[in-house]
Structures are given as C-alpha cells and as structure tokens.
Amino acid sequence: MPDPVPGPGEVLVRTRAIGVNYRDVYVRRGEYPAELPVPGLEGAGEVVAAGEGAEVAVGDRVAWAYGRASYAELVAVPADQCVPVPDGIDWQVAGGALLQGMTAHYLLESVYRPTPGDSILVHAGAGGMGQLLVQWAAARGAEVITTVSTDEKEKLAREAGAWHVLRYGDDLAEHIRELTGGEGVSAAYDGVGAATFESSLASLRPRGTLALFGSVSGRVPPFDLQRLAELGSLFVTRPVLPHFVRTRAEVLWRANEVFSAISEDILRIRFGGTYALPDAAQAHRAIESRATAGSLVLLPT
C-alpha cells in the first residue's frame, strides 16, 4: 500500500503498538461495513506529519481508540481522536489498552455507575475487557460476580478482584440469586451476547440494568419487550463506544481517566499475546478461540 497522506484535521502516525479487538473480527468477516484497508481501531505511535488544521504536533506521542485501518506501519488518524500518551505509559499499554479501558469507563461511569456494596455481574471476567471491568468496579467498592470457563481463568478473575467466580451454565442465574440473598444484581455487563443474554436478564434485580456491549457468541435474537416488565421493569441497552466519545472533551476525559487508573495501579493491564504485524491472522485465530486471557497487541516490524 502507498503511504497514507494526512488530510485536513488528520495526523500521520508511525505505529509502535496496535490493539487487536473482537470488533476487528466482525469487520474481517464482513459483519460490519467497512472499506479497504481494514481492520484496526486502536493503536499508538509517534506523529510524523500533520494535515491542515490538526492541533497535534510532529513528534508527539499519541494513542487512539477509534481510528481506522490501524493494522499498518503508518496510519492517518483524525487529530481529534488522538490523545497524548503520558511518559510513564509504555507503547504496548498505550496501543493495546485504550479502547477496552475507555469502554470500561463509559460502562461504569455513563451506562450504570455501581455504588459501594452494589452487586454486579461481569461476564468473561478473565478476558482483556472483563479484567478491566472487574478491577475498576471492585476498586469502586462493588461486589463483582463474574463468569469464566476454566480454573486458570478463575484464578485471573479472582486476582482482578472478583467477589465470586462462577461457571457458565443453565443454573447461573440461580447461583447469582443465592449469592445476593434472592435479590439479583443491580447490573449485568455482557459482552458475550446470545449465549449469556437470557441468564443475564434472569440475574437482575427489579429495575436492574443489562448493558449488552458485545456479541462474541452471536447476536441476540429479537425478543418481546413486554418481558422486561414481567421480569421486574428492567433496562436493556446496547451501547457502543463512538456514542460516548462524541466530543473532544469526552475523548480526553475518558482517556485521561484510563491512563490515570493505570498509573495509580488501579488497572493492571495483562496481555494475552503479542504478535508481529505480519502475523495478524494468528492474532485473530487466538482471539476467536476465546482461549486468550488479556489484551492482544500487534507490533510493527
């Protein structure tokens, strides 16, 4: 591919680390519309050129969580999506933790904000996204119940601060109600989708919130909204990051909160694998296998 040229309001960045996210898999499969070259939403690197009107300087260390075609050595990124990388944050963390970190921030800050003592459910608590949600919610005083598939992943979820760790299964909601005195959880954060949606609904207390922020196991089929009344006047939302970073102020607020939490050791970033950029296909196989625990990163050669 020819080197990209930054347009008005864009900067050209030489990447140092590129995050791999499940949304990249959706794009590759054609489930999300996209134009070539694809995929890649997030990354970090040094600015080497700036287009007209871009308020980012050549030489700046920047990261972004919602760019385009980031699987590359040189990437043109909208300047208003770039955030400065603090000196204490290394490239791998900057390039591989921002999207998931900002997602965790909007889920816990803007979708449903747990209060101390709140019981919440986080699915896939050993994954990169799940570990961030567990750590941040636990640090805020929430009692986090999480789900995992293996003993090894249970250990990781407990290290992240989970109150209770459960296995997936038909009796999941029953176990959750036992742990919460029959009440259920205040909120369920579900990035798995079809395989866990029903158990998430059944685990909520009256007026509880289900944040369905992903669909790794497939999309949730249409369902009758009347069920929300019957199950306790429940709230269900399908949020996505772009709607929570609509302004430059929101981008900087969420990114700075993530970097501060990392610097203060509230969030500990675990990487489930690093791959050379030409091995991106291998990284996709790993994330699709659901055998990884932690974030995945591509490193340009």
Side-chain angles (χ1 to χ4, degrees):
M1 297 292 295
D3 291 348
V5 176
E10 292 184 334
V11 293
L12 184 64
V13 182
R14 185 172 299 280
T15 55
R16 293 297 193 93
I18 303 154
V20 178
N21 296 279
Y22 213 90
R23 190 184 188 283
D24 302 344
V25 174
Y26 300 146
V27 170
R28 194 203 76 234
R29 290 174 177 170
E31 295 175 24
Y32 285 9
E35 297 178 2
L36 291 173
V38 292
L41 288 175
E42 72 172 332
E46 297 163 332
V47 176
V48 295
E52 181 182 354
E55 297 182 0
V56 179
V58 172
D60 282 358
R61 286 163 37 96
V62 298
W64 59 95
Y66 216 83
R68 176 177 171 270
S70 296
Y71 286 16
E73 295 167 323
L74 290 168
V75 182
V77 186
D80 62 2
Q81 289 295 321
C82 289
V83 298
V85 177
D87 290 339
I89 304 293
D90 66 33
W91 287 122
Q92 188 167 313
V93 170
L98 192 57
L99 188 149
Q100 291 181 344
M102 291 173 73
T103 299
H105 185 268
Y106 86 69
L107 286 171
L108 295 172
E109 189 70 30
S110 303
V111 173
Y112 180 85
R113 197 176 199 279
T115 56
D118 246 354
S119 296
I120 65 170
L121 170 63
V122 175
H123 283 297
M129 186 68 232
Q131 287 188 51
L132 295 183
L133 282 170
V134 171
Q135 289 179 76
W136 222 339
R140 294 182 174 191
E143 296 178 337
V144 184
I145 302 169
T146 190
T147 52
V148 298
S149 56
T150 67
D151 291 344
E152 181 182 0
K153 290 187 175 183
E154 177 176 347
K155 180 181 178 182
L156 294 174
R158 291 191 183 281
E159 290 174 354
W163 177 49
H164 281 284
V165 182
L166 303 174
R167 296 294 189 271
Y168 300 102
D170 294 337
D171 56 355
L172 177 61
E174 180 181 340
H175 288 316
I176 289 172
R177 291 198 175 276
E178 289 174 358
L179 291 172
T180 56
E183 181 74 356
V185 293
S186 299
Y189 302 90
D190 189 339
V192 178
T196 53
F197 181 75
E198 288 296 336
S199 60
S200 294
L201 278 180
S203 300
L204 292 172
R205 64 165 173 77
R207 303 202 308 270
T209 297
L210 169 53
L212 182 71
F213 65 92
S215 52
V216 172
S217 66
R219 294 191 178 192
V220 174
F223 74 105
D224 183 1
L225 291 177
Q226 182 62 28
R227 293 184 59 207
L228 300 180
E230 296 164 356
L231 292 171
S233 298
L234 304 181
F235 298 88
V236 177
T237 181
R238 180 58 176 92
V240 291
L241 179 60
H243 297 150
F244 292 84
V245 287
R246 297 185 64 193
T247 66
R248 177 67 174 161
E250 276 191 318
V251 172
L252 292 174
W253 170 48
R254 297 195 194 280
N256 289 335
E257 292 264 309
V258 171
F259 286 143
S260 294
I262 293 171
S263 298
E264 295 167 11
D265 207 31
I266 294 171
L267 296 181
R268 298 175 301 281
I269 308 302
R270 175 187 174 87
F271 288 94
T274 57
Y275 302 83
L277 180 55
D279 296 329
Q282 185 179 343
H284 274 225
R285 293 186 189 100
I287 198 171
E288 286 181 276
S289 74
R290 297 182 65 185
T292 59
S295 303
L296 301 183
V297 172
L298 303 176
L299 302 177
T301 53

